Amino acid sequence: MNKKTVRDLRPDELRGKRALVRVDFNVPLDEKGNVMDDTRITAALPTVKFLLERGARVILMSHLGRPKGKPESKYSLEPVGRRLQQLMPGVPICFVESTDSDEAQKCTRDAKNQVVLLENTRFLGGEESNDPRLARALAELGDLYVNDAFGSAHRAHASTEGLAHQLHPAVAGLLMEAELRYLGEALSQPKRPFVAVLGGAKISGKIDVIENMLPKVDRMLIGGAMACTFFKAMGLETGKSLVENDRVDMARTLVKRGGEKLVLPDDALVAPSLESASAAHAVKRDAIPKDQAMFDIGPVTCARFQREIEAAKTVIWNGPMGVFETPPFDAGTAAVAKALASATKRGATTVVGGGDSAAAVAQLGLESAMTHVSTGGGASLEFLEGKTLPGVAALDDRN
Ligand code: 3PG
């Protein structure tokens, strides 16, 4: 990676210094405010520990949800602080309610053997508009800046992009480094065969990923409802399936351009509706009944995709194959996840994009069976689209 990371800092750049660390603690909370999935919190711990072990004082900041520049109690990071305390029992966590304040200044200056967690950065006007005045005010709270928020790296906000211009050194944390390494190496120097598995509801959300990855991969396996837009482009009946009519021409072009690389489902699991899942049955792709919809890839496709994945040396997967929350429409996604797990066992590099596919892998308990599961949904998608992530671009270059 051409960006500096915490590993590049000299001991004297860390000892006794206030490390202002942007993390992505945008985690789901239940109605009582309990953290429902702490993956993103645990993923940031190696950086926190790395800094503490080198004598730095750690000040964490993150956004949560989408409040509009002013405090809203349901988006407070306080419950996240409680979870963090459970995960780091030996280190007192000091939660600061007002990020842009004297209290924050004092707390971060006094912090010695504790970790400070600042309140939601999106409670501050200027965060999302990347106001340099806010970035300068935040810069007062630290002596160095660490961006470990891969999940937010596609946002040019004051605490992600702006701050990296105001406070130096500005370096990547260990999670950020790992995300960029796994995703980056898979894209730029894949061991072959290199297989991409793309799913999800809409082709419109994945079009740039398809365009960017098609020239790089040996096979691109397409599942999810977006396969139906391709079916329509091939002149097939799609029944009541989700089809993006305004993308049919685009799908036709991709089918032509993809040639043998682009593998579409041979069969589909269909039902009259999602509610009538008990009526689900498999049909060939050219036999989708007019009054039914595709909710998953069929068993023939599962077997084909499994063969392709298990023969691969590098696999990137983004997007579920069907409505995996509703059995039996979870079968395709489970088949793909298991195939990735067995490919990993045989030495392949397997990388799962964040968001729904990461949730599916977690639901199946297969996280540790993958080489890397990204913590970034939108960010990993933009990375796979070949876009520059502003939160990364702004960090200090390695000389
Ligand atoms: C995410 O969950 O994808 C990130 O935390 C970014 O959140 P945002 O889409 O609200 O910017």
Side-chain angles (χ1 to χ4, degrees), residues 24 26 40 63 65-66 122 151-152 154-155 157 375-379:
D24 189 336
N26 185 24
R40 283 179 163 180
H63 76 286
R66 291 181 172 168
R122 288 191 187 168
S152 310
H154 59 316
R155 306 287 185 219
H157 292 170
T375 56

Side-chain angles (χ1 to χ4, degrees), residues 177-371:
E177 183 189 27
E179 294 269 14
L180 296 172
R181 177 156 51 87
Y182 285 117
L183 286 161
E185 281 176 8
L187 273 191
S188 64
Q189 39 187 301
K191 283 183 255 134
R192 294 184 183 276
F194 177 21
V195 172
V197 190
L198 299 180
K202 293 186 171 176
I203 187 176
S204 51
K206 296 279 155 72
I207 191 75
D208 292 339
V209 177
I210 300 176
E211 298 264 8
N212 186 44
M213 291 189 71
L214 203 49
K216 304 185 199 311
V217 298
D218 298 299
R219 282 272 188 279
M220 181 172 282
L221 316 179
I222 304 276
M226 73 169 171
C228 297
T229 303
F230 284 99
F231 290 166
K232 182 117 188 207
M234 292 154 70
L236 302 178
E237 171 65 56
T238 50
K240 291 180 2 190
S241 309
L242 185 72
V243 168
E244 286 176 279
N245 286 310
D246 56 340
R247 304 290 163 152
V248 172
D249 285 342
M250 189 182 277
R252 197 171 294 122
T253 312
L254 287 171
V255 169
K256 249 190 230 142
R257 200 185 319 152
E260 295 221 321
K261 269 190 188 181
L262 198 72
V263 183
L264 290 161
D266 294 309
D267 61 347
L269 206 57
V270 298
S273 69
L274 208 49
E275 291 69 42
S276 51
S278 56
H281 60 287
V283 295
K284 284 193 173 156
R285 71 181 181 197
D286 57 1
I288 297 178
K290 272 202 167 61
D291 59 348
Q292 308 211 4
M294 171 177 179
F295 292 115
D296 195 11
I297 54 175
V300 175
T301 309
C302 286
R304 165 89 199 265
F305 282 13
Q306 278 179 313
R307 278 198 305 278
E308 296 282 358
I309 293 165
E310 286 174 16
K313 292 259 166 50
T314 306
V315 187
I316 292 189
W317 174 26
N318 196 296
M321 298 292 102
V323 189
F324 73 95
E325 301 87 350
T326 312
F329 305 121
D330 54 347
T333 303
V336 162
K338 286 178 192 154
L340 259 83
S342 79
T344 319
K345 236 187 219 159
R346 290 201 339 274
T349 302
T350 54
V351 180
V352 182
D356 283 344
S357 8
V361 168
Q363 193 175 298
L364 291 158
L366 288 175
E367 290 122 310
S368 58
M370 308 293 165
T371 309

Side-chain angles (χ1 to χ4, degrees), residues 16 44 62 123 129 166 184 314 372 388:
S62 174
F123 286 179
S129 60
Q166 306 292 345
T314 306
H372 182 69
T388 301

Side-chain angles (χ1 to χ4, degrees), residues 99-114:
T99 296
D100 187 16
S101 67
D102 294 347
E103 189 196 348
Q105 285 276 359
K106 184 171 168 357
C107 222
T108 56
R109 287 197 189 285
D110 295 349
K112 287 252 154 54
N113 296 317
Q114 59 182 17

